[in-house]
Amino acid sequence: MKYYIILILPLIILAAGCASSEKTLYVLPIEFRIPAKKAQFLKFYSPYILGKKFFLDPGHGGNDRNNVGFKGSAVEADVNLNVALSLSKFIKEAGGIVLLSRDKDTSVDLKDRSLIANKSGADFFISIHHNAPASK
């Protein structure tokens, strides 16, 4: 159990730091803005990530772009993709293997996402969402 907590903690930090607000559509976590802090962060977490396979699923995208922030400037599909791409970069730098359900603004059917993830043989499945309200 301790192993999973240590592994998931940096992923939560990264996702929280990358979360969008209406004013700033993307904020890189402090651990990644300062090269020395980033190197220290990667050194600490690399042993837990090295060789593990992660399937990242940035929700929505393509034709599913209805969920936007209350001011209309943040589209959930875009925020989800930005977080997934940043998380993918971190995992790769830490020695992990990354598979994505999408790496650009495309539609991936919900049933296809789970089929692809199951066939990937990934050790971890991470679905990324930000709960923007649907537009009317």
Side-chain angles (χ1 to χ4, degrees):
M1 182 64 158
K2 181 179 178 184
Y3 172 78
Y4 291 112
I5 292 170
I6 290 173
L7 182 59
I8 298 302
L9 181 63
L11 305 179
I12 293 169
I13 291 169
L14 183 64
C18 295
S20 170
S21 73
E22 290 293 332
K23 194 170 190 178
T24 59
L25 295 179
Y26 181 77
V27 177
L28 194 62
I30 187 110
E31 292 86 0
F32 287 50
R33 286 183 246 155
I34 301 168
K37 282 195 174 284
K38 181 177 180 180
Q40 182 182 17
F41 195 78
L42 285 168
K43 183 179 178 182
F44 182 82
Y45 286 105
S46 288
Y48 303 102
I49 295 173
L50 185 65
K52 298 291 183 201
K53 191 185 284 188
F54 294 80
F55 187 89
L56 306 182
D57 180 29
H60 305 286
N63 297 327
D64 186 7
R65 301 183 55 77
N66 298 327
N67 299 345
V68 297
F70 70 95
K71 291 184 181 176
S73 59
V75 178
E76 183 182 3
D78 296 338
V79 176
N80 295 341
L81 183 58
N82 282 337
V83 169
L85 294 174
S86 293
L87 183 55
S88 172
K89 184 177 177 184
F90 165 75
I91 292 170
K92 288 176 183 175
E93 288 178 18
I97 302 158
V98 177
L99 302 152
L100 292 137
S101 61
R102 64 183 186 99
D103 61 1
K104 57 186 176 238
D105 187 27
T106 57
S107 295
V108 181
D109 190 75
L110 190 57
K111 71 176 171 112
D112 292 337
R113 291 172 191 262
S114 60
L115 288 173
I116 296 166
N118 288 335
K119 287 181 181 178
S120 75
D123 299 299
F124 297 94
F125 176 89
I126 301 172
S127 181
I128 300 169
H129 287 270
H130 286 84
N131 296 332
S135 13
K136 297 180 180 188

